[in-house]
């Protein structure tokens, strides 16, 4: 007698996701699953819808069609029967606390020290004990190589250091999913490597990550899967080595020949 092995449900599931800004349809029916512990890199030219899709995953943008689920919960909505009802602000914030996001620009609070930046959300949103949060924050700063900067203010840090603080701040919420929106695009070239090293270390811990990036070397070395978007659609996806080294779609080939 054989037992059937069922695939675990994906942590993230997008089904026919659409998003428009006015008359401009930016996402034209995105279907994408991300498994728990998987690193997925989304590549494509500017304007292809990559960042918009990422912002939809944690409801920073409302979708106009389809469904987005994280941990089998519909993002931003409650499903009653066959009807979607938008969640309250507090409900959305509670769900969003499970999703860490790192932006192109670091968005640190300039009037707070590095340590205070990390501690703010766990204290205010999760209502956790101060000594517990402080210990976790200091441990994360050590992991990203910035233990000595705990009392510094963001203005005294380089761009690469600020982005590493932003990653540590997101991790301090103990998220189940990390989203990265071109985290190195605002950095000087010599600072890119220090941020990518932190992201590689994070991937090794088994964190589920969706990364919008132009760093093809990172995508090839770290991603389990690469997704190529063009014109608001997913045109190709597969193992990183296959998509980057042996793309099947003509537009994927054209994009990679331009950036590599």
């Amino acid at each position: 007698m054989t037992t059937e092995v069922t695939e675990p449900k994906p942590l993230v599931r997008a089904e026919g996701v659409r998003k428009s800004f006015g008359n401009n349809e930016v996402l034209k029916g995105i279907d994408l699953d991300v498994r728990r512990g998987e690193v997925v890199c989304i590549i494509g030219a500017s304007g292809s819808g990559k960042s918009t899709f990422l912002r939809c995953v944690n409801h920073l943008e409302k979708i106009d069609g389809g469904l987005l689920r994280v941990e089998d919960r519909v993002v931003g909505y409650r499903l009653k029967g066959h009807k979607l009802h938008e969640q309250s602000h507090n409900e959305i914030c509670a769900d969003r606390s499970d999703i860490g996001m790192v932006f192109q620009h670091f968005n640190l609070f300039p009037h707070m020290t590095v340590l205070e930046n990390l501690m703010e959300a766990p204290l205010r949103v999760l209502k956790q004990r101060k000594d517990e949060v402080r210990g976790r924050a200091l441990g994360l700063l050590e992991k990203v190589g910035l233990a000595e900067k705990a009392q510094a203010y963001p203005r005294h840090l380089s761009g690469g250091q600020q982005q590493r603080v932003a990653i540590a701040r997101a991790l301090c919420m103990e998220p189940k999913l990390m989203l990265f929106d071109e985290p190195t695009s605002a950095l000087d070239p010599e600072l890119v490597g220090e941020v990518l090293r932190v992201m590689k270390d994070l991937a090794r811990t088994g964190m589920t990550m969706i990364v919008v990036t132009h760093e093809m070397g990172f995508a090839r070395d770290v991603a389990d899967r690469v997704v190529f978007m063009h014109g608001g659609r997913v045109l190709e996806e597969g193992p990183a080595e296959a998509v980057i080294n042996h793309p099947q779609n003509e537009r994927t080939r054209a994009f990679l020949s331009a950036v590599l």
Side-chain angles (χ1 to χ4, degrees):
M1 180 178 174
T2 59
T3 56
E4 187 177 333
V5 178
T6 57
E7 281 275 319
K9 285 187 177 180
L11 182 65
V12 180
R13 168 159 283 176
E15 303 172 78
V17 170
R18 295 181 175 273
K19 173 66 183 177
S20 297
F21 295 100
N23 294 325
N24 181 23
E25 191 176 26
V26 178
L27 301 179
K28 302 175 182 178
I30 301 296
D31 295 312
L32 182 66
D33 285 355
V34 179
R35 295 183 293 275
R36 196 177 300 274
E38 190 176 26
V39 178
V40 172
C41 282
I42 304 178
I43 64 173
S46 296
S48 60
K50 310 181 303 296
S51 294
T52 298
F53 174 71
L54 206 67
R55 291 173 64 84
C56 288
V57 172
N58 66 354
H59 206 59
L60 287 175
E61 299 289 355
K62 297 180 187 180
I63 66 174
D64 298 318
L67 276 180
L68 252 174
R69 299 176 189 268
V70 175
E71 275 212 320
D72 218 28
R73 294 197 304 270
V74 179
V75 174
Y77 299 89
R78 280 174 281 109
L79 192 58
K80 288 187 177 179
H82 296 289
K83 288 190 175 181
L84 289 175
H85 301 268
E86 189 166 11
Q87 292 177 312
S88 69
H89 175 73
N90 287 343
E91 288 172 321
I92 291 169
C93 288
D95 284 352
R96 199 178 279 153
S97 68
D98 285 336
I99 305 172
M101 187 157 184
V102 178
F103 300 87
Q104 296 177 34
H105 300 286
F106 326 117
N107 296 347
L108 300 176
F109 297 117
H111 62 288
M112 293 183 179
T113 66
V114 164
L115 183 60
E116 289 167 344
N117 264 279
L118 267 66
M119 294 177 64
E120 177 73 1
L123 291 176
R124 286 188 178 271
V125 177
L126 301 182
K127 310 296 184 186
Q128 293 179 338
R129 287 173 36 218
K130 189 171 183 179
D131 58 341
E132 174 191 335
V133 174
R134 180 183 173 85
R136 184 164 72 247
L138 289 172
L140 284 166
L141 286 176
E142 188 166 352
K143 279 188 177 180
V144 300
L146 293 171
E148 77 286 358
K149 299 293 185 180
Q151 299 306 322
Y153 286 88
R155 65 181 178 272
H156 298 136
L157 305 180
S158 71
Q161 289 172 330
Q162 289 188 60
Q163 193 62 295
R164 284 187 279 155
V165 171
I167 293 171
R169 180 177 64 175
L171 291 173
C172 207
M173 290 288 284
E174 300 183 296
K176 296 169 182 171
L177 169 67
M178 283 287 288
L179 309 176
F180 294 86
D181 186 9
E182 299 191 32
T184 60
S185 64
L187 300 178
D188 292 332
E190 67 271 17
L191 303 176
V192 168
E194 65 188 56
V195 173
L196 294 181
R197 278 193 296 275
V198 169
M199 293 172 64
K200 287 178 182 178
D201 289 343
L202 182 59
R204 291 189 195 103
T205 71
M207 173 63 73
T208 310
M209 298 164 60
I210 306 177
V211 184
V212 170
T213 185
H214 289 296
E215 299 290 341
M216 293 302 120
F218 174 85
R220 183 193 288 116
D221 295 344
V222 179
D224 297 295
R225 269 189 305 140
V226 166
V227 174
F228 173 70
M229 286 182 62
H230 177 82
R233 292 186 170 90
V234 173
L235 293 193
E236 186 165 356
E237 66 171 291
E241 192 275 339
V243 173
I244 293 176
N245 292 343
H246 308 287
Q248 301 301 302
N249 186 279
E250 181 182 342
R251 291 195 181 275
T252 315
R253 288 196 295 268
F255 170 76
L256 289 169
S257 68
V259 300
L260 290 176

